[in-house]
Amino acid sequence: MGPVRLEAITWERLAERLADRLAGLETADGGAWARVGFDGAPAARPGDLAELVGEALRVRGRPSLVVGTEGFLRPASLRLEHGRRDAESYYGGWFDTGALWREVFGPLDPGGSGRVLPDLWDPATDRATRSPYVQLPPGGVLLLHGPLLLRHWFPFDLTVHLLLSPGALRRRTPESDHWTLPAFERYEAETDPAGTADVVVRADDPRHPAWSG
């Protein structure tokens, strides 16, 4: 990532600023639903920011739906085919991107139904969740969060990357999950998420974020 000027901000204020931006966001395909990606390693907690933005949007009278990619993991028989700590599998085979395209993005295409499946697979039970579909009305906003999002060419209208330095990523990732760190190193090298995202949030210190505006 090249030099980016970052401004100190609180998480609450950041959510308000993003909600203001989304209120006037036009979709790239002219469709009725905006799609926003919150990209970041689990240690950066992108889902927390997505939830805050969803709350700020609801205050503004704009419906939203928060969806986490952890609800679209592939079955353990596929996900763990090469072992429980295989970084290559985590990078390329843990998440069911086909289901995300079909059940989340497809319904929000122009002329789509707006009926989104909020999750598909429960990793704890390794079974389908059987969650009901959620109807997102026209004008609603999808807030999808998860790791490694920007390498899949999902049709986002706005992307937010929560950036952690290598030291902060290692420090804030539980030791039992350190085997995933090479996947994030590869992601940084191949995708350059901080240089690709529309908005960058530095989250090394969870108490004092900064953003690119």
Side-chain angles (χ1 to χ4, degrees):
M1 183 183 69
V4 176
R5 185 174 181 178
L6 299 175
E7 170 191 347
I9 196 169
T10 66
W11 290 110
E12 291 75 15
R13 182 60 179 155
L14 174 59
E16 295 287 335
R17 294 282 293 274
L18 287 172
D20 287 341
R21 185 166 177 176
L22 292 175
L25 182 68
E26 294 186 7
T27 60
D29 58 11
W33 300 276
R35 298 145 299 186
V36 183
F38 292 83
D39 173 63
R45 304 184 66 86
D48 290 357
L49 181 56
E51 292 286 355
L52 285 174
V53 172
E55 293 171 10
L57 285 170
R58 284 189 284 274
V59 170
R60 288 160 174 77
R62 188 159 189 185
S64 65
L65 177 64
V66 178
V67 175
T69 59
E70 72 272 9
F72 287 85
L73 289 174
R74 301 172 77 198
S77 60
L78 300 175
R79 193 170 75 248
L80 308 178
E81 182 179 4
H82 300 289
R84 292 183 176 275
R85 297 191 171 193
D86 186 82
E88 289 295 313
S89 295
Y90 181 76
Y91 186 77
W94 268 47
F95 299 96
D96 191 342
T97 54
L100 284 165
W101 280 102
R102 182 179 68 252
E103 304 290 0
V104 178
F105 289 104
L108 303 182
D109 283 340
S113 67
R115 293 180 70 250
V116 175
L117 189 65
D119 53 60
L120 178 65
W121 201 258
D122 184 342
T125 63
D126 200 36
R127 295 175 181 271
T129 58
R130 303 189 183 279
S131 295
Y133 284 85
V134 175
Q135 185 70 49
L136 190 61
V141 182
L142 169 70
L143 306 172
L144 179 72
H145 63 86
L148 313 172
L149 283 183
L150 304 184
R151 62 179 295 268
H152 298 298
W153 299 99
F154 290 136
F156 292 121
D157 299 297
L158 183 77
T159 52
V160 181
H161 175 62
L162 279 76
L163 175 66
L164 293 176
S165 68
L169 176 60
R170 175 171 289 274
R171 185 172 63 252
R172 294 178 57 187
T173 298
E175 187 173 352
S176 60
D177 292 331
H178 276 190
W179 63 270
T180 64
L181 297 180
F184 292 106
E185 293 174 8
R186 179 180 173 187
Y187 182 54
E188 177 73 23
E190 294 184 354
T191 306
D192 184 21
T196 302
D198 299 302
V199 176
V200 176
V201 179
R202 170 74 76 173
D204 284 1
D205 184 342
R207 300 165 299 174
H208 303 292
W211 78 314
S212 61

